[in-house]
Amino acid sequence: MKLVFATHNQNKFEEVKKMVPKHIELVSLADIGCTEEIQETGGTLEENAKIKAHYIAKTYNFPCFADDTGLLVDVLNGEPGVYSARYAGEQKKPDDNMLKLLKKLQHKNDRTARFKTVIALNLNKEQFIFEGTVEGEIVHNKMGKGGFGYDPIFKPNGYRKTFAELPLGIKNKISHRGIAIQKLIDFLQKPINQ
């Protein structure tokens, strides 16, 4: 089965590709010749994922899925949320986003947060939704060289290391995206007649 992952983020694509079974041929937007930036105009993570998946399925006629992920910080009423990728501006620079978030949390004791991923799958003219969430906290300084996005400042509950410090295999098992992708994979592996 050939399945398009509707993202231009190569880090995200490579991370997800490692989770997908070999019998599913995961292809990127670049692989299908899609270079346009799909506008995320939704007000929620789910709306943005649906917009991207629908656009690729309609325009390129491939089964595909798209995700949208947000970091939700309790004391900031869920910021940066749906604006996580462009929290510090349209340039989408992770370092700028982290710096802005750390500055806002500078004098806050409550640093609880969660990552949430919503996946929209377009398959056989139907759309299916899968979600994954991981609870944790925002640390005071960036730690670790791995991962991407907010990984250097997010420490999942039950671990002493940030996502950027954890081995990818562990991160993929416990992360918001890993949980949502596993739900997607489980769905794709069900017999059609179930």
Side-chain angles (χ1 to χ4, degrees):
M1 169 188 214
K2 184 180 280 193
L3 185 63
V4 177
F5 181 16
T7 183
H8 287 295
N9 183 326
Q10 197 58 34
N11 289 319
K12 191 190 289 189
F13 180 81
E14 292 301 327
E15 187 176 282
V16 168
K17 192 170 185 172
K18 287 180 171 67
M19 293 184 250
V20 174
K22 299 287 183 246
H23 70 275
I24 296 173
E25 183 189 351
L26 193 66
V27 295
S28 69
L29 291 178
D31 294 331
I32 63 167
C34 176
T35 56
E36 59 262 40
E37 192 69 35
I38 304 162
Q39 296 304 309
E40 298 179 6
T41 56
T44 66
L45 299 173
E46 184 174 327
E47 287 173 6
N48 282 339
K50 285 179 172 181
I51 288 167
K52 292 184 282 187
H54 177 75
Y55 178 83
I56 294 302
K58 185 177 175 199
T59 308
Y60 293 90
N61 202 27
F62 279 109
C64 71
F65 70 94
D67 81 328
D68 200 22
T69 295
L71 176 63
L72 300 100
V73 180
D74 290 341
V75 76
L76 300 178
N77 299 314
E79 278 186 31
V82 73
Y83 304 106
S84 292
R86 52 184 59 81
Y87 192 45
E90 288 300 317
Q91 72 278 10
K92 297 183 182 180
K93 289 191 177 172
D95 284 334
D96 293 348
N97 292 336
M98 285 186 283
L99 190 64
K100 179 176 179 176
L101 183 59
L102 290 173
K103 196 168 187 169
K104 280 195 163 196
L105 291 175
Q106 201 169 14
H107 302 292
K108 307 283 187 195
N109 292 325
D110 179 4
R111 300 175 80 84
T112 57
R114 72 203 42 77
F115 266 121
K116 180 178 180 181
T117 291
V118 179
I119 291 174
L121 168 69
N122 276 47
L123 183 68
N124 300 328
K125 298 187 180 177
E126 288 189 72
Q127 194 168 66
F128 305 91
I129 302 296
F130 309 93
E131 291 185 11
T133 304
V134 62
E135 301 287 333
E137 67 177 297
I138 304 300
V139 297
H140 291 271
N141 300 296
K142 291 192 289 183
M143 297 189 293
K145 301 280 186 218
F148 60 94
Y150 294 91
D151 286 356
I153 62 171
F154 182 82
K155 183 175 71 159
N157 287 347
Y159 290 82
R160 294 180 180 194
K161 295 180 175 183
T162 65
F163 271 163
E165 296 174 293
L166 288 172
L168 186 59
I170 293 174
K171 180 191 171 194
N172 283 347
K173 283 183 184 168
I174 66 167
S175 79
H176 48 296
R177 188 170 292 108
I179 292 166
I181 289 290
Q182 192 55 57
K183 289 177 183 178
L184 169 70
I185 291 166
D186 291 347
F187 175 82
L188 291 172
Q189 291 180 328
K190 281 182 187 172
I192 305 284
N193 56 3
Q194 263 191 355

